[in-house]
């Protein structure tokens, strides 16, 4: 599979297939990630470069440098209260939401955040729910008509049936 970053949308053009046709696929332009209560921006956070990301979310309370074995390179990790973002070569590589301080906000005005009942995912992404594994639900992403190799992943607690983490990754 071709490796991809979230960065510039031109990078998505090389990716035209999904390994698993048993999951729901949503367009990256149908939602945004923002602080809970804030309005979405027109350019999805996943498409922002490092400078644009910092402009949107501000300087993080903590910045780490982490090594990526897969890429044999260092990544900047920005740590916010309830969110972590990893950048390599100024492109967003991965994003993790761990509290209700941030949410996915869809342009139909619906939102999903950590702490929500998993039933939201069951109803919204039924194919992905049927294909869940290890308390994770994978939703594929596309940019316009081109499928990309990044997944939206919802983790949940099977006892409380609450979403415990939302992240974007391979």
């Amino acid at each position: 599979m071709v490796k991809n970053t979230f960065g510039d949308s031109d990078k998505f053009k090389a990716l035209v297939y999904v390994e698993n046709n048993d999951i729901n696929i949503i367009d990256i332009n149908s939602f945004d990630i923002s602080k809970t209560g804030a309005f979405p921006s027109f350019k999805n956070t996943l498409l922002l470069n490092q400078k644009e990301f910092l402009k949107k979310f501000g300087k993080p309370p903590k910045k780490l440098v982490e090594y990526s074995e897969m890429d044999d390179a260092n990544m900047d990790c920005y740590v916010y209260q309830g969110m972590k973002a990893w950048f390599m070569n100024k492109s967003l590589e991965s994003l993790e939401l761990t509290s209700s301080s941030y949410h996915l906000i869809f342009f139909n005005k619906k939102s999903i955040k950590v702490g929500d009942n998993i039933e939201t995912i069951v109803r919204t992404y039924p194919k992905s729910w049927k294909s869940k594994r290890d308390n994770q639900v994978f939703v594929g992403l596309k940019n316009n008509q081109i499928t990309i190799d990044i997944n939206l992943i919802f983790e949940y607690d099977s006892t409380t049936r609450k979403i415990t983490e939302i992240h974007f990754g391979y």
Side-chain angles (χ1 to χ4, degrees), residues 136-139 151-155 165-170:
Q136 294 183 328
V137 179
F138 293 80
V139 177
N151 288 303
L152 163 57
I153 304 163
F154 296 97
E155 292 191 27
E165 184 176 303
I166 301 169
H167 62 270
F168 296 84
Y170 301 100

Side-chain angles (χ1 to χ4, degrees), residues 121-167:
I121 306 306
V122 174
R123 285 190 309 275
T124 308
Y125 308 113
K127 283 172 56 178
S128 292
W129 177 254
K130 286 180 185 172
S131 298
K132 69 186 176 298
R133 61 179 189 253
D134 301 324
N135 293 349
Q136 294 183 328
V137 179
F138 293 80
V139 177
L141 296 176
K142 66 180 180 176
N143 190 9
N144 297 315
Q145 297 303 312
I146 299 171
T147 305
I148 56 179
D149 72 340
I150 305 292
N151 288 303
L152 163 57
I153 304 163
F154 296 97
E155 292 191 27
Y156 65 96
D157 181 304
S158 59
T159 304
T160 64
R161 310 243 334 135
K162 300 286 185 189
I163 298 169
T164 57
E165 184 176 303
I166 301 169
H167 62 270

Side-chain angles (χ1 to χ4, degrees), residues 88-136:
M88 188 178 340
N89 300 321
K90 306 203 181 312
S91 292
L92 186 61
E93 289 288 317
S94 187
L95 185 83
E96 176 182 286
L97 306 177
T98 57
S99 82
S100 61
S101 299
Y102 298 90
H103 65 156
L104 302 182
I105 185 163
F106 294 83
F107 293 109
N108 64 4
K109 303 208 183 345
K110 295 186 187 233
S111 71
I112 300 173
K113 63 185 179 308
V114 169
D116 285 353
N117 192 294
I118 197 65
E119 293 305 318
T120 301
I121 306 306
V122 174
R123 285 190 309 275
T124 308
Y125 308 113
K127 283 172 56 178
S128 292
W129 177 254
K130 286 180 185 172
S131 298
K132 69 186 176 298
R133 61 179 189 253
D134 301 324
N135 293 349
Q136 294 183 328

Side-chain angles (χ1 to χ4, degrees), residues 72-94:
D72 190 27
N74 286 330
M75 298 186 344
D76 291 331
C77 176
Y78 294 152
V79 182
Y80 296 86
Q81 179 89 20
M83 178 173 69
K84 285 185 180 179
W86 289 266
F87 289 87
M88 188 178 340
N89 300 321
K90 306 203 181 312
S91 292
L92 186 61
E93 289 288 317
S94 187

